[in-house]
Every structure is written in C-alpha cells, then in structure tokens.
Amino acid sequence: MRVRGLGREVTRDTTRRAVLASVLAAGSAGLAASDAADLLDSFAPPSGEAWDAADRSLPETVESPHGAASVSRDEFGVPQVEADAEPAAYFAVGYCQAFDRLFAMDLQRRVMRGRLSEVIGEATLDSDEFNVAMGFADAAAATWDAVAETRAGPLVEAFADGVNAAMEDLPLPLEFELIGYEPEPWTPVDSMLMEKQISWTLTGSFGELRRALVADRLGAERAETLFPKRYDHDETILDGTETRLGGTRESVPRADERRSGGRPSDSAAPVDPALTDWLSGFESPTGVGSNSWVVSGEHTESGTPILAYDPHLSLQAPPLWYEQSVDTPERSVRGATFSGVPFVIAGANDRGAWSFTNLGADVLDCYRYDIDDAGDRYRYDGEWRDFEVDRRETIPVADGEDRELRVRRTVHGPLIEREGRTVGVAWTGHTATRTTTAIEAYGRSEGLDDLLEATRDFDLPTQNLVYADADGRTLYYATGRLPIRRTDGEVVDGDRIFDGSAGEGEWRGFEPFGESSWEGFVPFEEKPHAIDPDALSTANQRPIDDPVHYVGVDYATPYRGARIADRLAERVDEGEPTDPDFHRALQSNVRDGRAPELVPELVEAVRDRPDPATSLVDAADALDEWDYRMRRDSRAALLFARYLPAFRERVFGPAFSDADLGESYYPSDWTLARLPDDDPLFDGRSRTDLAVAALGDALDEIDEAGWERYGDYNTTRAMSHPVGGEAPFLNYEELPVDGSPATVKNYRVESSVGSSWRMVVRPGTDATAVLPGGNSGDYFSEHYDDQLRRWLDNDQRPMPLGAGGEPAVRFEPTEESE
C-alpha cells in the first residue's frame, strides 16, 4: 500500500503513530515528523487502531437480513448493486455508502442536529445553536412519519440497516480516529435529515432581511435601482409558447397587480442588523446554482434526446455527490446521490434521465412579533398566546461548558433569538415533505407520465426539473411547494418582512413540524412547466417573464444562461444536429460574459490617459487581444479576474462603508456594468479613473502574489476536507482550474463552489459522468481523488446501466430473511 504524498511503500509492521506522523508531515508545510507526532498527542485519540483505517476493505461476504445481493465495483469505485428484492439491494447500498462515506454522513448529520460541538468544541457553537433553533431534526422526524408508510419506507429502513451493519463489521475511517469519537447508529430519520440539509442548502435564504436593511440604509429608491427584482434581459427559461398541462388557474392578481397588496404596516423596517448578519452566515455559499439543458431528438444525430447537467454546489473532499448503480427487477438506475440518501437523485434509468437546477423560489418568510416582557407569550390573531413550543435544549460541548438554548416556536415556525433580538421563520421544509418518495419513484419510472405523477410528491427543494426519455419525450417542470401569501385575505408577494402578530403573510394549509394539507399553495398544474420542449436550458434564471403566481426574486445574472441558450439556438437555427461531444464541449465553455461588458471601457480608459504607466499599457494590450475565455493558462484572464473585485471595491466601497454595509451587500456585476456615469455611487468621481486605478490595484496584487497565469490564482486549493485545516494531507492536490463565477464551466475559488457533478445522457442509449475528486471518502483508497484531473478537463467516463462484472461482495441472506 502506498500512502499518498510519502513517495514510499509502507509495510504492515509500520506502527500507527509512525504512519500518521509521516502523513501529517508530508501534508503539512514545514511540519517535521517529530512535531507531527506531538500534534497527534492532542489530535488523535489515545486508543484505537488508526492503522485499521489504512487497511479498510470490503469483505467478500456479508450477512443480510433483507436477502441476497451482490456488489461489483467499476474501475472508479462505483458500486453496482444487483438483487432480486429491493430491500436487499438497498441494504447493500447502505453498506457501500458507509464503507465509502461514513464520516461525511455522520458529520453532516451532526451539523443538522446541532451536535457538532459535542466532538469539535466551542468553535462550532454558533452553527449548533442555529440548527437546534431551526428544528431541522424535528422536521426530519415529521417527514419520516409521512414517508415510513410509503413504498420508499421499507427501502429507507433497509438502507439504515446496511449502514449500521458496515459500522459493526468494518474499521472506522481515519477521521474518527483523528478526532476521537465513534458514530451512533444510523436511523431512517437521519436520511430524512439529509433531505432537509439538501433543501436548506438550495432554498434557505434570509434575503428579505438583507433587502430591508439595504433599503433602510440606502433608501428604498436606491435599493430598487441597485438590486432590481427583475434584471433587464430576456433570458427566461420559458418564452410562453410552450405546451402546458390542462388545468384551471386560481383567480389571483398577476404580479404587477399585487405588489402593494395587503394593508400597510411597519414590517418593512429591518430587524436587528447583527441578527441579520448572523443569520446570513447560515445560508447557501455564494454561487450555488446549476446548469441543465435538453434538446429533443429532432436536433441530435441519433434521433434520441440528449440531457446535460452540472450542478454548482460546494466543492470539497470528498465530493458532495456519491455515484451508485442499482439493478433489480423493478429498476435499473445509475447516477448521483448525496451521502446518506438511499436513492439516485440525478441520473438515468433504462427509460429516461432527469436533472435539477435551483428554481430560486422564495419558500421562506420572516416575521416580527409583539412579545411580552417575560418572553413567554406572543401576540397573534388578536390575542396573547403561549408559544407553540417553549423548551430548553442542551448542546454538549467537547472540552468546554455545555450550552443551554431556549427553543420557541410560533404558529409559523421557529423563533430565532440572538442577544435579545428575535425573528420568526416559516420555511416549507419545516413540515413533512415527500421528496424521498418522488426520488424513489423516479428510479423505476417508465416514461414521462410516471415521472410527472411522481413529481407531484416533490415538495422541496424547489427546483427546475429537466427530463428526457427513450421515447423521445422531453419535459421541464418547476417542482416544490410554492406558498401563496395572504394578508387580510389579499394575495401578496413574499419579498418583505411580515408582521406576524397582525396576521400578515399567512400560508393556508401549512403545519410546521406536522403534516400540511398544502391547500393554500400553488396548484401543480399552475407551476411553470413545458411538455415536450424542443430545446430548453436552465441556469437559475427567472423561469417565466410574467408568472401568474409569485415565485421569487433571487435569480442568477444571465451570463451562464445566455451563453447556453445562444449556443443551443445557433445549432438549432443552423439545422446542424448535436451529439454528446457537443454538449460536453458546451459544459466546458469558459467564455465570461462579463468581460465584453467591462473590458473595452477599461482598455479605452488606459489608452486615453496622457501618460499611462508601462505596466498599465501592457495589461490593457493583453486584455484587448483576449478572447474573454477564462483559461488556466491565460494572463489576460488573470488580469480580469483580479481587476473586477478591485473595480467593485472602488465603485461600491465608499458608499456602502458609509452605510455600514459590508462587501457581501454589494450589487451584482450585471448592475456594475450598467451603472451610468452620473450614478450617485460615483459621487463626482470618474468611472474611467476608477477603472484605471482598479487595474493598478490588480497589478499590485498580482505582483505581490507572484502569479503569472490565471491558473496560479484559480486553483483547487479551496476544495478542502472538513478537517483539512488540522490534517492538511486530507485535502486534494492544488491544481490550476479553468472557469469563473460567470462561465458555463463554473468555478468560484473564493467560495469553493462549482460544477459538483457533470453528466451527459442519451436516454436508453449511453451516458457519461465525472466527479470533482473521487467516489471514495477513504483517504487511503485509490478512488479518493482518481477523477480530479478528469474533472478539471471534463473528461467524462462511461456511466453504464445494469449489473457490473465479477462481484466484489456477496450479501447472503440470514435465516430470518429467507
């Protein structure tokens, strides 16, 4: 066995401490082996065989209470599970996921339950307090109550049994030894908790709190100018000509008629700024989004539709996504899921393929309340009432004092408190959701009708579903429950803070931490959708120009969406058919749409100066000759990448600093490119002078850092392991990366967000995919990072359906399963 980074073989008689000390030394810059051994005294547990973690392997046979199954593993470590009975298959899936990803599963479970400090210490107390107050664990329990009696329920239970069997049979992964704890048994509720984690990552937004704060600090008119609710462009997903399902529209006012619906109140005033900033820290990382598109068989060489997908989520070691294949008489499905989730979320079966991008829907509202001086009651519906829940919870803290937290809930949901300031939260994920049943049904769907029926149960997260099948059918559907808010019976938009005590922003049919009827939500047939679209792309833009129902206001700038739509339209208009290579090439497109909007004015500004410095002229010349592509070997791409944040700071910094608003509140690059020269932000300053000064700032930064090309700055350094700060050897190798926040091939080095899985599928024919790292979370596995370089080049490998080769593991039925 070779330990990565040591450049030598390690024999079995090497001691555990010598191995780990050597690994730490190899992965820690300037850390001697003797110092690494000292570090182990404080970081590693005093007992337990960490060497076992370096020698983990799947056994040849495993007893299964759910029946016989076999698992083969392809050359990239993807488990291919085959069984005659579905519970037997998902017991094997749970076993394989635990073998490959147990630490990632347990870590995310601890985060969502608010029990990270129990093993990490005081550093994670803020996270634990937020997650306990939000009640994600209780919402997961309510969801399991709803899912348990469905067809998916027994399969989720079998999955949990498989996870627990692996924990009993196998040595724990290295991270447990390093931190010094053992995981608790996995439960079906934990898998539901993973659904809540995914949903929160994609829909948890306190945008209305920030918008209220900006409007208060800058003025409502300036806020509307700098943060428009609708970008001035036509790059929507739907153009209004698509075929829809039948159905009667509910009589509600259209968007432009309901902006001021409801009676006036002071609820537009911001909540406490410190509370707003604290809550913003628990939202999705900047840049979370995705690309997905589909073309019908009329525009492909094979006559079969093609679906392409790459979700933009956090990039880390190991990846968020886990690839698996399951083959039973009921299904033959392969694709990506999240660790801890039994079923393929995005992938393909033998009939169709499906993918999701974030809809940008507003499914979270914030409320202010009148609360009595004792904090025991709140005013609602004209009377003072006790909180629906009012209890104390203890957060255990390793090597510290345990923290006690008061948990209160109103009729809308949790009441979040921070240093005496409060805000109420309603989120669709706080009720029982049935997305697990929808995803399970996708895997055994036999066509568009089956998929549509399953999508009715896709409650959360709100997504743009894109689908294609072997029959030539295609589909787009906005999934998830969309609230219809009412104040005094009138329909209102959700882009505001509501007065909860006055009954503003009510959601009919919503039961937090229970089971909702959804009677007051947008009917399924009235959500944005298209049946059999010819060519359609989604990149987190507004779904439709004039929606009947309010959907949301947090949409992506149009750069990615416009590039994808333009390239597809070119091929369709030219009548030139596409093949999978075309779609993989489009996924790899690195033209940055911001550059043609901002670079020409910068080049002109430098050349118009009477005596510009030679360094400025050279930079301007490089930018002028540039093709606007963010390639790792490009000097001009580096200049643009560092110029843009410097220009943003020069333009936005003074006014926002005066308003006590930090960089996270700055407007978008789309807004920056369109600011007129006389905008108050310039305050008598010349836009061209600021541009030239910003280029100088960028050149100073580049010289100080010693960067020569874009890939010197834009690297995989941010793709770290959760405990990579203390054990750097667990992080991936630092390599140069193509792409930017605005390119189709998406990468954000500052927030470690980008293409977290790529696939291209011809339904019923073939598929390819690649992960940003490897399928295994075991540092000692050859599959820990064996796809990283392939991911950098979008060199996708086959993703075949069906059973694999020679089984690596056979699951043998126990007496009780026979």
Side-chain angles (χ1 to χ4, degrees):
M1 180 202 70
R2 180 177 296 277
V3 177
R4 188 177 292 100
L6 296 185
R8 63 179 175 83
E9 297 296 325
V10 179
T11 60
R12 289 183 179 273
D13 60 358
T14 306
T15 66
R16 171 180 69 94
R17 291 186 58 78
V19 170
L20 293 179
S22 297
V23 171
L24 281 170
S28 306
L31 185 65
S34 59
D35 294 330
D38 291 338
L39 176 59
L40 283 168
D41 287 333
S42 60
F43 191 48
S47 61
E49 292 298 325
W51 172 252
D52 291 343
D55 198 31
R56 296 174 76 242
S57 61
L58 285 168
E60 292 183 1
T61 59
V62 176
E63 286 192 346
S64 169
H66 295 279
S70 65
V71 176
S72 60
R73 294 171 78 87
D74 70 11
E75 62 179 308
F76 294 97
V78 177
Q80 298 168 287
V81 178
E82 184 179 13
D84 290 333
E86 294 251 287
Y90 282 97
F91 177 88
V93 168
Y95 200 98
C96 291
Q97 282 199 22
F99 174 73
D100 287 323
R101 297 290 188 91
L102 182 60
F103 179 71
M105 293 166 63
D106 187 67
L107 184 69
Q108 198 55 61
R109 169 174 63 169
R110 283 189 170 276
V111 169
M112 294 301 287
R113 287 189 178 277
R115 291 187 56 192
L116 198 54
S117 301
E118 185 177 20
V119 297
I120 299 298
E122 293 181 353
T124 55
L125 263 175
D126 273 5
S127 171
D128 284 350
E129 287 188 10
F130 173 78
N131 288 300
V132 169
M134 284 292 286
F136 294 123
D138 288 346
T143 293
W144 174 240
D145 287 343
V147 170
E149 301 304 318
T150 69
R151 177 170 178 157
L155 306 185
V156 176
E157 290 178 321
F159 173 88
D161 290 344
V163 172
N164 293 326
M167 278 196 260
E168 292 176 5
D169 293 351
L170 305 173
L172 291 175
L174 177 64
E175 294 92 334
F176 290 104
E177 294 291 340
L178 292 176
I179 297 174
Y181 79 98
E182 294 186 2
E184 297 176 359
W186 192 264
T187 71
V189 173
D190 292 326
S191 289
M192 302 302 103
L193 196 59
M194 298 303 96
E195 177 194 310
K196 300 300 178 185
Q197 183 270 328
I198 300 162
S199 297
W200 179 256
T201 297
L202 296 171
T203 66
S205 171
F206 295 103
E208 57 261 52
L209 299 184
R210 290 191 304 280
R211 285 189 291 270
L213 185 59
V214 168
D216 180 69
R217 298 282 175 83
L218 301 180
E221 185 175 344
R222 287 299 292 152
E224 183 63 28
T225 299
L226 297 175
F227 303 94
K229 295 174 183 175
R230 293 167 64 99
Y231 285 119
D232 185 20
H233 65 82
D234 298 321
E235 303 299 336
T236 55
I237 296 172
L238 305 176
D239 62 15
T241 65
E242 293 84 4
T243 302
R244 294 172 42 89
L245 295 175
T248 302
R249 296 182 185 275
E250 183 180 348
S251 179
V252 298
R254 300 189 75 86
D256 58 351
E257 299 172 342
R258 64 176 182 266
R259 294 293 179 197
S260 59
R263 63 178 178 79
S265 76
D266 65 352
S267 57
V271 302
D272 179 69
L275 177 59
T276 296
D277 287 344
W278 186 74
L279 289 172
S280 296
F282 302 106
E283 297 179 304
S284 301
T286 301
V288 164
S290 303
N291 302 323
S292 186
W293 61 87
V294 65
V295 295
S296 71
E298 293 184 19
H299 305 293
T300 67
E301 288 185 348
S302 65
T304 300
I306 295 178
L307 180 147
Y309 181 45
D310 61 297
H312 308 156
L313 298 171
S314 294
L315 298 171
Q316 60 190 43
L320 287 177
W321 295 96
Y322 178 81
E323 187 178 348
Q324 64 187 41
S325 173
V326 178
D327 195 73
T328 72
E330 286 80 14
R331 76 186 72 221
S332 180
V333 60
R334 178 163 177 166
T337 186
F338 291 102
S339 305
V341 176
F343 310 113
V344 167
I345 295 173
N349 64 12
D350 52 352
R351 299 303 304 159
W354 54 95
S355 64
F356 304 93
T357 65
N358 208 18
L359 177 61
D362 183 357
V363 295
L364 183 150
D365 283 344
C366 293
Y367 301 83
R368 62 174 78 251
Y369 302 97
D370 298 328
I371 300 175
D372 67 16
D373 292 340
D376 296 332
R377 298 187 302 165
Y378 71 107
R379 191 162 184 81
Y380 179 75
D381 199 20
E383 63 180 13
W384 290 96
R385 59 191 291 167
D386 294 336
F387 286 95
E388 317 307 303
V389 170
D390 191 350
R391 65 174 185 249
R392 302 275 179 176
E393 291 198 20
T394 299
I395 300 174
V397 181
D399 302 321
E401 185 176 345
D402 292 351
R403 180 72 57 88
E404 188 176 81
L405 184 71
R406 186 179 185 184
V407 174
R408 289 177 289 178
R409 294 173 187 162
T410 72
V411 295
H412 301 112
L415 184 77
I416 309 297
E417 179 179 1
R418 186 74 173 169
E419 297 179 350
R421 306 294 186 180
T422 61
V423 64
V425 177
W427 177 55
T428 52
H430 277 138
T431 193
T433 50
R434 291 178 171 80
T435 300
T436 295
T437 66
I439 291 297
E440 183 276 324
Y442 282 6
R444 52 183 171 81
S445 62
E446 297 184 359
L448 187 144
D449 291 341
D450 286 350
L451 191 102
L452 265 179
E453 188 60 31
T455 302
R456 292 178 181 274
D457 286 335
F458 200 112
D459 296 329
L460 191 74
T462 42
Q463 298 284 284
N464 298 300
L465 165 65
V466 176
Y467 171 81
D469 66 28
D471 297 325
R473 305 294 303 275
T474 58
L475 172 74
Y476 162 80
Y477 224 101
T479 71
R481 301 292 182 171
L482 300 174
I484 299 176
R485 289 93 169 164
R486 288 178 170 83
T487 297
D488 291 340
E490 296 182 26
V491 176
V492 297
D493 287 358
D495 55 344
R496 66 197 72 185
I497 303 170
F498 291 111
D499 185 340
S501 290
E504 293 182 353
E506 294 291 297
W507 300 1
R508 292 179 186 167
F510 181 69
E511 184 65 36
F513 305 102
E515 191 160 357
S516 296
S517 69
W518 307 110
E519 64 186 66
F521 286 63
V522 175
F524 183 75
E525 290 78 9
E526 296 180 19
K527 297 174 187 176
H529 67 275
I531 307 297
D532 291 319
D534 201 34
L536 180 145
S537 58
T538 75
N540 314 115
Q541 70 268 52
R542 190 168 67 249
I544 192 167
D545 187 57
D546 187 22
V548 173
H549 298 278
Y550 169 77
V551 177
V553 296
D554 289 332
Y555 300 119
T557 52
Y559 300 111
R560 286 183 291 115
R563 185 62 176 164
I564 296 167
D566 287 349
R567 292 291 292 123
L568 293 178
E570 287 173 11
R571 293 298 286 259
V572 169
D573 293 344
E574 293 169 358
E576 186 176 354
T578 68
D579 60 12
D581 285 341
F582 167 84
H583 295 279
R584 285 187 286 266
L586 182 49
Q587 288 179 329
S588 299
N589 192 287
V590 293
R591 188 178 191 275
D592 194 316
R594 301 170 301 176
E597 296 179 345
L598 293 164
V599 166
E601 69 172 7
L602 172 61
V603 172
E604 183 179 0
V606 171
R607 291 175 175 172
D608 284 348
R609 295 184 75 81
D611 189 21
T614 302
S615 60
L616 291 173
V617 173
D618 290 344
D621 289 346
L623 288 167
D624 193 31
E625 297 171 1
W626 182 39
D627 61 3
Y628 304 145
R629 285 170 168 76
M630 305 298 287
R631 295 194 179 100
R632 67 190 86 167
D633 60 354
S634 169
R635 171 73 175 177
L638 171 65
L639 293 170
F640 179 69
R642 303 320 301 145
Y643 160 73
L644 187 52
F647 188 44
R648 288 173 56 81
E649 185 60 39
R650 289 273 182 175
V651 174
F652 299 130
F656 278 71
S657 178
D658 290 345
D660 198 22
L661 295 170
E663 182 182 352
S664 64
Y665 287 91
Y666 289 0
S668 71
D669 295 333
W670 178 267
T671 298
L672 174 65
R674 284 156 182 77
L675 283 176
D677 292 344
D678 60 352
D679 189 274
L681 279 173
F682 294 115
D683 191 24
R685 303 175 298 165
S686 162
R687 179 182 178 112
T688 56
D689 286 349
L690 293 179
V692 174
L695 181 58
D697 296 338
L699 289 171
D700 289 343
E701 179 193 17
I702 289 169
D703 289 345
E704 183 176 348
W707 298 323
E708 294 292 336
R709 299 290 182 264
Y710 184 47
D712 297 335
Y713 157 73
N714 203 56
T715 73
T716 57
R717 66 182 180 278
M719 296 170 62
S720 60
H721 189 281
V723 297
E726 292 78 10
F729 65 92
L730 292 171
N731 298 330
Y732 288 146
E733 179 184 3
E734 184 173 348
L735 297 168
V737 187
D738 296 326
S740 77
T743 57
V744 177
K745 191 175 187 181
N746 200 253
Y747 188 70
R748 296 171 183 259
V749 66
E750 300 298 343
S751 58
S752 188
V753 169
S755 299
S756 58
W757 159 259
R758 295 191 188 104
M759 73 175 187
V760 173
V761 183
R762 288 190 296 185
T765 305
D766 54 22
T768 59
V770 70
L771 281 167
N775 212 42
S776 175
D778 184 343
Y779 169 76
F780 297 102
S781 168
E782 63 181 313
H783 304 302
Y784 186 71
D785 59 2
D786 58 340
Q787 297 183 57
L788 181 60
R789 290 177 181 270
R790 281 179 170 267
W791 172 80
L792 289 169
D793 296 329
N794 195 21
D795 180 14
Q796 298 181 27
R797 66 314 184 275
M799 189 177 76
L801 290 170
E806 184 67 23
V809 187
R810 295 187 185 276
F811 291 81
E812 299 179 345
T814 58
E815 291 185 3
E816 57 266 31
S817 67
E818 295 179 339

